[in-house]
Amino acid sequence: QNNVFPMHCSANIGEDGVTALFFGLSGTGKTTLSADPTRRLIGDDEHGWSATGVFNFEGGCYAKCIKLSEQNEPQIWNALDFGSVLENVVLDPVTGVPDYDNDSKTENTRAAYPVEHIDNAVIPGFGGHPKNVVFLTADAFGVLPPVSKLTPEQAMFHFMSGYTAKVAGTEAGVTEPQATFSTCFGAPFMPLPPKVYAEMLGRRLREHGAQCWLVNTGWQGGPYGVGKRISLPYTRAMVNALVEGNLDNVEFEIEPSFGLSIPKSVPGVPSDLLKPRNSWKDAVAYDKMAADLAARFEKNFEQFDAPREIKEAGPRAVVAK
């Protein structure tokens, strides 16, 4: 009502002073990828986007810390100091040292800590208008490309969809991959009709010339249990490339199942990882899985009141021959 767009996302600022936003549900890497030593963290989870820029309004971070290591996630590792709270983390009974690899309680181990525990956090948490908006998904079906560029219409479609996949360990009772859709990547926090928030996003993308990206931190080469999860260093390289503008002048090609624009090259990433169909041993099996996931998107989107151009920006289920 005050023309502030409320967002369930993290935010950081690069050395160039330009802000980036990261949307994503639990387990997609929102906290991990926004806590980057080369960028300053505005906040971890809850932000507003006003006429003057982005601001944080929760003041703390809530990181998933299973298999946490100083090498892969140095900022989070160093933030877990006195005043942090560990949840479901097993401690050595003699030394009291946390064992972050221990999943005997659950894989959903967590750490809560004040945002100022991050060495280069922005205090207070204000930033300018973002130039890059990243949607994170952990696709356990091995279908979505690791990075793709979205049109404003596609951004609004995927924002309203809020797709990721639950896998074993994220929630109790989940034993195999499940597609899940959470509007605006945070449905419980959003009381107004989804179209209201999608229109606020679309308007800001156009007003400020921001580019929206879809980044899959999930599986390649097959679904969960067959393929492998995309390595964090490669995902970081892709995210760094897009926020630093290194994908502005590379060539893109359209992926047929979802109509996504995939870069043909990304610095520091093998090009054969960029097209998920090429990573499957059985291309026909990939096509069938892609058609199945596209059908799930279509079915989910039937609930929304959205303009025709937004509906048409989504995937179209095509039965593989």
Side-chain angles (χ1 to χ4, degrees):
Q1 286 83 354
N2 292 316
N3 195 32
V4 174
F5 175 31
M7 305 176 295
H8 177 222
C9 71
S10 56
N12 63 25
I13 300 177
E15 293 179 356
D16 55 3
V18 178
T19 302
L21 302 180
F22 299 83
F23 290 82
L25 299 170
S26 175
T28 59
K30 176 164 57 70
T31 298
T32 296
L33 291 168
S34 59
D36 186 318
T38 66
R39 299 176 65 81
R40 301 184 65 201
L41 183 71
I42 299 173
D44 172 67
D45 211 43
E46 308 291 346
H47 294 81
W49 189 349
S50 70
T52 56
V54 170
F55 61 94
N56 173 262
F57 56 79
E58 109 270 22
C61 303
Y62 189 54
K64 196 171 181 182
C65 52
I66 189 69
K67 295 182 173 58
L68 178 70
S69 70
E70 187 173 12
Q71 179 182 1
N72 284 341
E73 298 168 85
Q75 285 199 303
I76 297 173
W77 178 275
N78 292 327
L80 302 189
D81 203 348
F82 184 79
S84 301
V85 178
L86 298 181
E87 184 179 297
N88 297 324
V89 176
V90 176
L91 307 181
D92 184 286
V94 177
T95 65
V97 174
D99 180 0
Y100 295 116
D101 292 330
N102 190 319
D103 60 2
S104 60
K105 302 297 182 186
T106 174
E107 283 189 29
N108 197 21
T109 59
R110 294 282 183 165
Y113 48 93
V115 69
E116 56 266 24
H117 277 206
I118 296 291
D119 292 337
N120 58 351
V122 179
I123 307 294
F126 293 95
H129 296 294
K131 289 300 180 186
N132 289 284
V133 176
V134 181
F135 295 162
L136 298 166
T137 182
D139 175 29
F141 299 94
V143 168
L144 295 177
V147 61
S148 52
K149 183 167 64 173
L150 304 179
T151 66
E153 292 76 21
Q154 287 176 322
M156 293 167 73
F157 176 91
H158 285 278
F159 184 64
M160 292 178 74
S161 298
Y163 164 72
T164 193
K166 297 176 184 177
V167 296
T170 301
E171 291 191 17
V174 177
T175 57
E176 60 182 41
Q178 296 178 5
T180 184
F181 297 91
S182 184
T183 305
C184 310
F185 297 98
F189 310 127
M190 305 297 178
L192 299 176
K195 185 171 72 169
V196 173
Y197 303 106
E199 288 174 346
M200 294 185 90
L201 172 69
R203 186 162 62 249
R204 280 161 174 74
L205 291 177
R206 293 184 177 94
E207 284 178 357
H208 304 291
Q211 178 61 58
C212 195
W213 306 83
L214 183 65
V215 171
N216 174 24
T217 62
W219 278 256
Q220 275 197 316
Y224 176 83
V226 177
K228 293 183 178 180
R229 190 155 193 182
I230 299 166
S231 74
L232 179 57
Y234 284 145
T235 299
R236 278 203 187 280
M238 288 181 269
V239 169
N240 288 340
L242 67 89
V243 297
E244 292 168 6
N246 293 331
L247 300 185
D248 292 350
N249 298 312
V250 304
E251 209 175 332
F252 284 77
E253 59 184 307
I254 302 297
E255 173 275 337
S257 299
F258 286 73
L260 301 170
S261 295
I262 303 175
K264 290 188 175 181
S265 63
V266 174
V269 180
S271 58
D272 59 347
L273 294 181
L274 301 176
K275 294 180 69 174
R277 191 175 189 269
N278 292 351
S279 68
W280 282 53
K281 292 180 180 178
D282 185 342
V284 173
Y286 169 84
D287 292 338
K288 288 180 178 178
M289 188 67 79
D292 176 75
L293 184 59
R296 294 172 191 247
F297 269 90
E298 280 191 274
K299 180 66 177 176
N300 175 72
F301 210 79
E302 290 173 359
Q303 66 181 297
F304 297 125
D305 170 27
R308 180 172 56 84
E309 61 271 19
I310 306 304
K311 292 180 179 179
E312 291 179 351
R316 288 291 173 265
V318 178
V319 178
K321 296 181 180 178

